[in-house]
Amino acid sequence: MFGGQVIPPSNSPHLRKSDKAEGHVEMEGLLHSAELNDLKITSLPINTAAIMPSPILLWRFKVLLFFLWGFICCKVGWDSVMRMSVNLRDLFLYEAFLYYNPLLLVTMMVWLWGVNLWVFAQSTISYAKIFDLDQNHLTHREIWKAATWMTIIVPTSMTAYLYLYSHGEVSLAASQPVLLYCAVTLVLIFPFDIFYLSSRYYLLRTLWRIVFPLQAITFADFFVADILTSMSKVFSDVERSVCRMVHRQVATIAWFEADSVCGSHSIGIPVALVLPYIFRLFQCLRQYKDTKEKTTLLNALKYSTAVPVIFLSALKYHVLLDRWTSFYRPLWLLSGVINSLYSFYWDVTRDWDLSSFSRIFKSNKPSLCSHLLYGRQWVLFWVVGSNFILRLAWTYKLSAHLRHNYLTVFTITALEMFRRFQWVFFRVENEWNKMSSKPNLQVSEISSEEDKLLAPNDHNI
């Protein structure tokens, strides 16, 4: 009636035998196709899971790509340097190294901080409580992920700088460090909820409290400030790099002149070196104002001993050479020895607790790290001995007149960061011991959540 096809029922007597057979075949075909569809649907997750690679295989593939990328960067960088004349090669490397070695050292420190967090997570010490962190703080895996990207981006930019400069693209080469420094700054201050906004805000807030100690000093404040003192050479190189970028001296040799605003005579170099110690000095004075403890004044004196080391070294560029050699150089050596020995004494007697040494390596579960480090006497001798040697070498990196030996200074700065990496373990351990010994500290604050749930409740009825 409406133009549609009328299909009689299959058992209609008006259908011929052949029509019934055809209808039966069609029904069997529909049922068979429906069964095939069901089989495809049910087998789809199994096939998809079979196609996905295992996590171990995927990790190995990423490691392979990482090493392949590293080889390409080294090969391109080496070929680019070899294209340059012998007279300009060393000067060119010195300039390129200046722009990129601060970020390489920061990347190294991020990797080491991830190792610190990994050990903290395995131990019985609650580092989140010590630093007053919320439950959304970054874990060691996230720290290592950020360090991996830094390890990729910084050498890639350096390789591009070397390649472009050696092939005559000077303007493009000069833009590489500028773009990298701008990108790092934008990532730090980006106000939107990406790139770990809460952690970036925590870091920026801590840095603000370090620069302006207008409030009571927390453990995180002076802990980060102590780490910044080990990175004073990084701040000095950042100051020189930014100075050249602002005055458009990147990929030129104008900065090499003695009277250049970014040259060796610049007062900004010793100022950038001394700033972390000044910040830490003001923190100690603030602590004395709040607590009236005389040990904070002795700690302030320790940081003040770094000031003569830095400025006596900088005087080499502002006095006659004979005057420097006969008078200022012996004073510089004496101030360096005093600073190193005082700092070493403070590490061993104040920052560390040798009575319960290496407790931080006591793991919740049996592990190779805990077996090798926890309760081992060699750890004590290694840490104290290496700390003493590296404290003495520390004077070298604070000396502005030795900065042209850039590879030596880079190595000593990296070793100083490794010394600070060791220092972190035992400084955090000492702080946890102090917190545990407080009479008002509740046992429930030390035990984990599982211990609190499983602990028996004794009630007198």
Side-chain angles (χ1 to χ4, degrees), residues 183-432:
V184 171
T185 306
L186 288 177
V187 168
L188 281 176
I189 65 175
F190 204 62
F192 301 103
D193 194 9
I194 56 176
F195 304 133
Y196 311 117
L197 176 63
S198 60
S199 298
R200 288 188 289 112
Y201 174 75
Y202 181 87
L203 175 62
L204 293 176
R205 184 186 61 184
T206 303
L207 294 176
W208 178 266
R209 292 164 61 94
I210 291 172
V211 177
F212 302 102
L214 304 177
Q215 64 290 313
I217 307 301
T218 65
F219 177 78
D221 293 340
F222 68 76
F223 181 86
V224 175
D226 273 330
I227 294 177
L228 295 183
T229 59
S230 295
M231 302 175 67
S232 57
K233 184 63 172 61
V234 171
F235 295 120
S236 174
D237 288 344
V238 167
E239 183 275 331
R240 296 169 67 199
S241 300
V242 173
C243 179
R244 296 181 190 182
M245 294 175 189
V246 172
H247 292 87
R248 298 185 178 182
Q249 295 181 359
V250 180
T252 68
I253 59 172
W255 56 268
F256 196 67
E257 301 174 4
D259 57 350
S260 172
V261 68
C262 303
S264 301
H265 291 65
S266 173
I267 192 62
I269 297 174
V271 169
L273 281 172
V274 81
L275 275 179
Y277 300 94
I278 297 298
F279 295 150
R280 193 67 185 91
L281 172 65
F282 286 158
Q283 282 186 334
C284 293
L285 297 178
R286 172 69 198 205
Q287 283 182 305
Y288 177 74
K289 177 180 178 296
D290 295 336
T291 64
K292 302 302 179 183
E293 295 181 1
K294 292 184 179 180
T295 54
T296 58
L297 293 180
L298 296 176
N299 200 14
L301 180 62
K302 181 192 74 172
Y303 293 104
S304 66
T305 59
V307 178
V309 180
I310 295 171
F311 282 101
L312 285 173
S313 173
L315 280 177
K316 180 181 179 181
Y317 298 100
H318 301 277
V319 297
L320 296 176
L321 182 59
D322 294 339
R323 182 67 172 170
W324 157 257
T325 305
S326 61
F327 182 72
Y328 291 109
R329 184 179 180 181
L331 289 178
W332 166 72
L333 290 172
L334 178 62
S335 60
V337 171
I338 293 174
N339 173 260
S340 298
L341 294 180
Y342 197 166
S343 301
F344 171 75
Y345 166 79
W346 197 271
D347 286 341
V348 175
T349 61
R350 300 289 182 176
D351 286 347
W352 299 345
D353 183 8
L354 300 183
S355 62
S356 58
F357 205 70
S358 78
R359 174 188 171 187
I360 196 166
F361 297 119
K362 183 180 181 181
S363 178
N364 292 320
K365 299 178 181 179
S367 64
L368 180 62
C369 177
S370 179
H371 175 72
L372 293 176
L373 301 178
Y374 175 64
R376 302 293 182 178
Q377 193 173 14
W378 71 267
V379 176
L380 173 63
F381 291 117
W382 163 260
V383 172
V384 174
S386 62
N387 189 74
F388 176 74
I389 295 173
L390 295 177
R391 277 293 191 185
L392 292 176
W394 191 24
T395 304
Y396 194 98
K397 78 178 183 63
L398 292 179
S399 304
H401 72 284
L402 299 173
R403 61 179 172 268
H404 291 296
N405 303 326
Y406 57 94
L407 290 178
T408 304
V409 174
F410 177 83
T411 303
I412 291 178
T413 306
L415 289 174
E416 165 62 18
M417 291 186 176
F418 181 77
R419 186 200 67 80
R420 184 64 67 178
F421 159 73
Q422 295 182 150
W423 174 91
V424 166
F425 289 120
F426 308 109
R427 185 65 188 89
V428 171
E429 178 186 50
N430 188 23
E431 185 65 19
W432 180 250

Side-chain angles (χ1 to χ4, degrees), residues 457-461:
N457 296 323
D458 297 329
H459 300 283
N460 295 326
I461 302 177

Side-chain angles (χ1 to χ4, degrees), residues 68-257:
L68 179 62
W69 160 87
F71 173 78
I72 293 174
C73 285
C74 292
K75 183 69 170 62
V76 173
W78 178 261
D79 292 343
S80 301
V81 172
M82 291 297 104
R83 284 175 58 94
M84 302 194 64
S85 63
V86 179
N87 297 331
L88 294 177
R89 188 178 299 165
D90 190 63
L91 189 63
F92 170 69
L93 281 176
Y94 173 71
E95 186 193 12
F97 205 73
L98 172 68
Y99 301 137
Y100 290 99
N101 92 87
L103 296 179
L104 290 173
L105 290 170
V106 171
T107 302
M108 172 187 169
M109 200 66 196
V110 175
W111 277 109
L112 294 178
W113 176 243
V115 177
N116 287 132
L117 292 186
W118 176 75
V119 174
F120 294 158
Q122 305 298 319
S123 70
T124 57
I125 295 176
S126 176
Y127 73 93
K129 189 178 297 297
I130 295 175
F131 291 100
D132 194 22
L133 301 175
D134 58 21
Q135 59 182 359
N136 297 322
H137 66 271
L138 297 184
T139 64
H140 61 276
R141 291 186 180 87
E142 293 164 323
I143 294 293
W144 283 339
K145 183 178 179 180
T148 302
W149 280 110
M150 294 171 66
T151 307
I152 294 173
I153 293 172
V154 176
T156 300
S157 176
M158 186 175 182
T159 304
Y161 176 82
L162 296 174
Y163 178 83
L164 292 171
Y165 191 91
S166 62
H167 286 74
E169 300 291 341
V170 179
S171 59
L172 289 177
S175 66
Q176 297 304 309
V178 177
L179 292 175
L180 181 61
Y181 275 66
C182 291
V184 171
T185 306
L186 288 177
V187 168
L188 281 176
I189 65 175
F190 204 62
F192 301 103
D193 194 9
I194 56 176
F195 304 133
Y196 311 117
L197 176 63
S198 60
S199 298
R200 288 188 289 112
Y201 174 75
Y202 181 87
L203 175 62
L204 293 176
R205 184 186 61 184
T206 303
L207 294 176
W208 178 266
R209 292 164 61 94
I210 291 172
V211 177
F212 302 102
L214 304 177
Q215 64 290 313
I217 307 301
T218 65
F219 177 78
D221 293 340
F222 68 76
F223 181 86
V224 175
D226 273 330
I227 294 177
L228 295 183
T229 59
S230 295
M231 302 175 67
S232 57
K233 184 63 172 61
V234 171
F235 295 120
S236 174
D237 288 344
V238 167
E239 183 275 331
R240 296 169 67 199
S241 300
V242 173
C243 179
R244 296 181 190 182
M245 294 175 189
V246 172
H247 292 87
R248 298 185 178 182
Q249 295 181 359
V250 180
T252 68
I253 59 172
W255 56 268
F256 196 67
E257 301 174 4

